[in-house]
Amino acid sequence: EALKYEPNNKSLQKKYDEAYARAHAKKMKMTPEVEQLYNKGLELSYQGEYDKALSYLDRARKLQPFNEIILKAIDFVRKTRDEKATSKK
């Protein structure tokens, strides 16, 4: 609804796209390229490189936007990053 009034709002569009993807997410087989990006993202997250990890996971998501496993990994890395940032304050 809000996009009708602000169709060029990129932040709003991103939030809508993410919500839509999560609502339609399903388990699916990853292509080799997607699996490589996903694994690299996980590896970087385990090393504490959360922003770099998210960039790899976002690239995987762009190739398979409704892949439930990728979406859950993105949520996990974001949550972990945010918790680490909060605990440092």
Side-chain angles (χ1 to χ4, degrees):
E1 183 72 27
L3 283 171
K4 289 181 184 177
Y5 301 103
E6 293 185 64
N8 296 322
N9 185 326
K10 291 187 188 287
S11 175
L12 191 58
Q13 182 67 52
K14 183 177 180 180
K15 288 178 183 181
Y16 173 82
D17 291 344
E18 287 187 8
Y20 184 86
R22 280 165 176 72
H24 295 88
K26 57 187 175 225
K27 292 187 187 328
M28 55 177 45
K29 184 168 174 50
M30 293 183 197
T31 65
E33 180 183 6
V34 170
E35 188 171 8
Q36 185 177 19
L37 292 167
Y38 171 80
N39 288 336
K40 183 66 175 177
L42 289 184
E43 179 185 331
L44 288 165
S45 75
Y46 297 142
Q47 296 170 3
E49 298 284 342
Y50 304 113
D51 292 330
K52 287 181 183 178
L54 286 169
S55 72
Y56 278 90
L57 292 170
D58 280 337
R59 287 169 52 197
R61 183 187 54 82
K62 284 185 172 102
L63 296 172
Q64 288 187 340
F66 302 111
N67 187 314
E68 183 178 53
I69 296 168
I70 295 168
L71 294 170
K72 285 183 177 183
I74 289 170
D75 291 342
F76 173 78
V77 173
R78 284 180 180 162
K79 181 180 177 195
T80 304
R81 176 195 62 191
D82 295 347
E83 287 173 354
K84 298 282 184 182
T86 302
S87 68
K88 287 183 180 179
K89 291 182 180 180

